[in-house]
């Protein structure tokens, strides 16, 4: 494909980690971020992959992101924990929360994990997949900078506020469902802006509430919600869990994930891990349900494209826009670090 290059997953992780280290990000957070961005790229979510690197680095350099944050866990019960991301990247906090949650749910049957003072958390599918891989049902929601207007209004108030779910399967990879409450993830709009392409009609509205194909207008306007009024109701549900429950900023106070200026975003995430009481019976029922879907003419199981893309990436590598690879390689050059800290 013109303008792209294929690299291995391991090579992509090393490259992003080196680029982040060059702007002062500690080794642990750099590796955590690198794994998440490459995993998103591998499953075809380009808006959450390499396209985020330059923005992340700029925010680490400006101090909008605490490059050396160490997540702090506070237990609030046998099956509940709050994780303070300390205004650092979301991924180290998610790593800590999920490790704790898997252990707690395995022992207690369920667990919930709230994350506060956080940042952009990328593709939620990656996180719930990890919970399902441990034999548990995983649920995750996150609030994001305001991008969706309440139904009937023009002014954005809710974020795109994604929701994700994953369940283990006996003889296959987990069932994973990951959806934004806008018709498309906002990262796809930013990707279009960075690559100089238009967006399809129906993705977003301009500041006057009119449909637009211009990504610049879309970013200053609002995203179209899924399901019209039902989509904004779900966005409110996410705000309650990810913001009000965790003590994080509501979406209309979350600063941009794309720019280096301004205060830390302070967004929130909420996760649950649930242990099936009868794992064998649960697996049988899941298999029967998904079998009925597969037997339906023209139907497909949600997440099938993601699973196929991930399998291809593991076999053949990830296909990355060359413009992002060139940026990452320039950032990762040893001499760049010297210039940045001169």
């Amino acid at each position: 494909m013109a303008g792209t290059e294929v690299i291995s997953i391991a090579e992509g992780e090393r490259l992003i980690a080196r680029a982040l280290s060059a702007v002062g990000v500690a080794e642990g957070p750099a590796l955590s971020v690198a794994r998440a961005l490459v995993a998103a790229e591998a499953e075809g979510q380009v808006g959450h992959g390499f396209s985020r690197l330059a923005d992340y680095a700029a925010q680490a350099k400006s101090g909008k992101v605490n490059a050396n944050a160490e997540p702090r866990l506070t237990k609030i019960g046998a099956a509940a924990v709050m994780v303070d991301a300390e205004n650092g990247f979301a991924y180290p906090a998610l790593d800590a929360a999920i490790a704790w949650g898997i252990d707690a749910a395995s022992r207690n049957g369920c667990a919930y994990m709230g994350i506060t003072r956080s940042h952009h958390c990328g593709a939620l599918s990656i996180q719930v997949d990890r919970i399902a891989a441990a034999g548990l049902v995983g649920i995750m929601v996150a609030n994001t900078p305001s991008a969706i207007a309440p139904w009937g209004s023009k002014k954005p108030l809710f974020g795109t506020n994604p929701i994700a779910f994953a369940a283990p399967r006996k003889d296959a990879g987990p069932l994973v469902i990951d959806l934004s409450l806008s018709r498309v993830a906002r990262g796809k709009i930013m990707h279009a802006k960075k690559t100089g392409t238009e967006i399809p009609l129906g993705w977003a509205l301009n500041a006057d509430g009119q449909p637009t194909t211009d990504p610049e207008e879309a970013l200053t306007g609002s995203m179209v919600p899924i399901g019209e009024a039902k989509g904004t109701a779900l966005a409110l549900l996410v705000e309650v869990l990810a913001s009000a429950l965790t003590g994080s900023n509501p979406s209309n106070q979350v600063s941009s994930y794309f720019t280096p200026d301004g205060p830390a975003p302070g967004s929130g995430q909420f996760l649950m891990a649930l242990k099936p009481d009868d794992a064998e019976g649960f697996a049988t029922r899941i298999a029967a349900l998904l079998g009925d879907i597969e037997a339906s003419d023209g139907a497909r199981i949600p997440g099938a494209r993601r699973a196929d893309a991930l399998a291809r990436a593991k076999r053949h590598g990830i296909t990355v826009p060359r413009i992002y690879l060139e940026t990452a390689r320039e950032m990762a050059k040893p001499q760049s670090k010297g210039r940045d800290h001169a």
Side-chain angles (χ1 to χ4, degrees):
M1 186 184 300
T4 62
E5 185 176 330
V6 177
I7 62 173
S8 70
I9 289 175
E11 182 183 357
E13 291 177 352
R14 288 193 297 269
L15 177 57
I16 290 178
R18 289 200 308 270
L20 291 171
S21 295
V23 295
V25 179
E27 181 181 9
L31 289 171
S32 180
V33 172
R35 285 192 293 266
L37 296 192
V38 171
E41 198 79 50
E43 61 180 46
Q45 301 215 43
V46 295
H48 294 310
F50 270 80
S51 65
R52 295 280 178 164
L53 176 59
D55 297 328
Y56 281 11
Q59 291 174 58
K61 290 173 71 175
S62 72
K64 186 174 184 177
V65 171
N66 179 358
N68 299 302
E70 295 184 3
R72 290 187 294 109
L73 278 68
T74 302
K75 281 186 66 175
I76 55 176
V81 70
M82 286 296 301
V83 182
D84 184 352
E86 295 196 329
N87 290 324
F89 292 111
Y91 307 111
L94 284 163
D95 289 345
I98 289 172
W100 186 91
I102 287 173
D103 178 67
S106 297
R107 288 184 286 105
N108 300 310
C110 64
Y112 90 70
M113 305 79 83
I115 301 176
T116 190
R117 294 207 298 167
S118 193
H119 192 263
H120 175 250
C121 63
L124 276 63
S125 54
I126 297 164
Q127 312 303 334
V128 293
D129 192 315
R130 295 160 62 189
I131 296 173
L136 307 170
V137 174
I139 300 170
M140 180 177 176
V141 299
N143 80 326
T144 64
S146 56
I148 296 177
W151 192 245
S153 174
K154 295 179 183 178
K155 184 179 179 180
L157 177 64
F158 305 124
T160 55
N161 290 12
I163 296 174
F165 167 90
R169 299 168 65 187
K170 186 175 182 180
D171 298 315
L175 166 67
V176 179
I177 300 170
D178 181 1
L179 54 92
S180 166
L181 296 182
S182 54
R183 287 191 180 174
V184 297
R186 203 160 188 247
K188 290 187 177 181
I189 307 288
M190 181 56 70
H191 174 67
K193 176 186 173 182
K194 290 180 177 179
T195 55
T197 57
E198 290 190 337
I199 61 173
L201 204 60
W203 279 14
L205 308 176
N206 63 21
D208 295 323
Q210 299 301 311
T212 183
T213 60
D214 184 337
E216 289 273 8
E217 290 187 355
L219 289 168
T220 57
S222 61
M223 304 291 290
V224 174
I226 62 170
E228 300 181 334
K230 293 179 181 179
T232 56
L234 285 173
L236 175 57
L237 179 153
V238 172
E239 288 290 338
V240 171
L241 293 176
S243 170
L245 189 63
T246 67
S248 302
N249 285 338
S251 286
N252 63 347
Q253 294 178 24
V254 174
S255 64
S256 173
Y257 291 149
F258 297 116
T259 60
D261 55 321
S267 50
Q269 290 96 38
F270 174 87
L271 303 94
M272 291 187 69
L274 309 170
K275 181 181 178 182
D277 180 56
D278 173 12
E280 194 70 28
F282 177 77
T284 299
R285 292 187 290 273
I286 285 282
L289 178 60
L290 297 183
D292 288 343
I293 295 173
E294 290 179 314
S296 300
D297 188 34
R300 66 178 179 86
I301 295 174
R305 291 175 184 169
R306 168 192 175 271
D308 290 344
L310 189 56
R312 285 194 303 271
K314 288 178 178 178
R315 290 194 305 268
H316 306 297
I318 52 176
T319 302
V320 185
R322 190 167 286 115
I323 187 173
Y324 296 145
L325 284 176
E326 290 172 353
T327 298
R329 286 165 178 156
E330 183 62 29
M331 291 170 60
K333 288 180 180 177
Q335 61 266 33
S336 296
K337 186 173 182 178
R339 287 199 300 268
D340 289 339
H341 295 274

